[in-house]
Amino acid sequence: SERQNAGDLPSIELPPITGDEYERLGDALLGQKKFYMAYVQYEKSLGLNPGNVRVEYKQGLALLFGAKHLDAISQFKKILEKEPTYALAYEGIGRAYFQEKNYESAEGNFREAVELEPRLWKSFTFLGYIYDFQKDHDAAIKSFKAALKIKPDKGLIYNNLGVSYSLSGEYQKAVEAFNNSIEHDFRDGKVYNNLALALANLGRYDEALEAFIVAGGESRAYNNIGCIYLGKGMFEEAVECFEKAIELEPGYYAKAGDNLKKAKALNSRIK
């Protein structure tokens, strides 16, 4: 029997890619942190569906996440020229200004965003950061609580709330917030470190040590507790902790050795 030559195969004409498909490609690339490639796919989508504000907003995100902050601001402002009540565009501008450390402009845009759409929890979270920078910790606490009303399962927000409580000296509330963060699956080392510092400020040193161990291992934990004892004038306890840190990692913990010398020198003065 005769075989058909490859050149004789019928050609298959694929259907053209739609604007929605280009958008989905852009979404996938954005999720992979390929921001320029995502931007290009969104541009192709807009070529087929011009004026699609949703895709224009995603282009702004691609610019924002790709550290093109001024271009992102320009993109979001173009959206607002067409749709002045598009709250996410205000949030995007706020995030870009925040990355540029222009906190005053960022604050104004985040406030506008939540006024238009009160469920934008990210805007409340960024407002909390800004208020802490401004040392207005009460306002920060209110902002993080507002974010939690919208996203009560978001462990990161509880961590942020705990930091604000710590900065305002409310260490028991800080401990509760950090524990809530852990319970809501935010188990980054920094939350355990934050928890340890709050516990230490309450005089709960054994619990603080346990949290420091989870955050960064035993040797570093003993060094950290030693530093806390040193700062509180508890020099004998500091010496013991620094010696323990060195015993656990003699070749690594030169830092604990320096702290031990300082603690011993200070301890000798009070005897």
Side-chain angles (χ1 to χ4, degrees):
S1 62
E2 293 185 9
R3 291 187 301 166
Q4 187 176 31
N5 292 326
D8 298 332
L9 289 172
S11 61
I12 301 173
E13 189 171 332
L14 296 173
I17 298 178
T18 67
D20 288 345
E21 288 169 332
Y22 278 124
E23 181 184 355
R24 285 193 290 272
L25 282 170
D27 294 346
L29 290 164
L30 195 67
Q32 296 167 19
K33 299 185 179 181
K34 296 177 180 178
F35 304 123
Y36 174 75
M37 293 172 68
Y39 183 93
V40 170
Q41 299 307 313
Y42 293 139
E43 189 71 12
K44 290 177 180 178
S45 177
L46 288 167
L48 294 170
N49 298 321
N52 186 325
V53 174
R54 182 186 66 246
V55 178
E56 290 175 345
Y57 168 71
K58 290 177 180 180
Q59 272 195 316
L61 289 181
L63 292 166
L64 173 66
F65 299 152
K68 304 288 186 182
H69 302 138
L70 298 182
D71 290 337
I73 290 168
S74 177
Q75 176 72 10
F76 292 130
K77 284 184 175 180
K78 287 177 184 176
I79 293 170
L80 290 172
E81 287 173 6
K82 295 191 296 181
E83 294 197 23
T85 61
Y86 200 85
L88 282 171
Y90 282 107
E91 181 177 86
I93 293 170
R95 291 177 71 169
Y97 277 128
F98 184 89
Q99 294 300 326
E100 288 290 302
K101 296 182 170 54
N102 184 343
Y103 300 126
E104 184 178 350
S105 295
E107 179 186 353
N109 280 280
F110 288 132
R111 289 172 68 88
E112 187 70 33
V114 296
E115 187 173 326
L116 288 167
E117 177 45 73
R119 295 194 61 77
L120 291 181
W121 65 272
K122 289 180 183 176
S123 286
F124 281 117
T125 298
F126 277 102
L127 283 169
Y129 295 146
I130 291 167
Y131 294 142
D132 271 339
F133 293 155
Q134 296 170 346
K135 302 188 186 305
D136 188 351
H137 306 307
D138 288 342
I141 288 166
K142 288 177 183 176
S143 290
F144 290 129
K145 283 184 173 180
L148 282 169
K149 283 183 180 178
I150 304 159
K151 275 281 184 181
D153 59 342
K154 195 75 175 174
L156 173 61
I157 306 174
Y158 286 104
N159 177 68
N160 295 332
L161 177 62
V163 170
S164 296
Y165 276 132
S166 288
L167 291 170
S168 65
E170 298 181 77
Y171 298 115
Q172 183 55 47
K173 289 183 178 179
V175 167
E176 292 168 7
F178 294 134
N179 280 327
N180 272 323
S181 179
I182 294 164
E183 287 170 13
H184 287 84
D185 296 322
F186 186 70
R187 295 189 172 90
D188 188 278
K190 65 186 174 186
V191 72
Y192 286 99
N193 195 66
N194 293 337
L195 173 61
L197 290 170
L199 287 166
N201 276 297
L202 290 170
R204 294 159 62 179
Y205 301 113
D206 290 343
E207 293 173 77
L209 177 62
E210 290 176 12
F212 274 135
I213 289 171
V214 177
E218 278 192 280
S219 181
R220 182 172 295 179
Y222 277 102
N223 181 67
N224 289 344
I225 283 288
C227 289
I228 289 169
Y229 283 140
L230 197 62
K232 291 182 179 292
M234 301 166 68
F235 303 126
E236 284 190 33
E237 292 87 346
V239 168
E240 289 177 11
C241 286
F242 294 136
E243 286 178 339
K244 183 68 174 177
I246 294 166
E247 179 188 328
L248 287 164
E249 284 191 67
Y252 171 72
Y253 240 94
K255 188 174 185 179
D258 292 338
N259 290 332
L260 176 59
K261 290 175 188 175
K262 187 188 299 182
K264 281 184 173 178
L266 291 167
N267 194 37
S268 66
R269 292 181 188 174
I270 62 172
K271 287 187 174 180

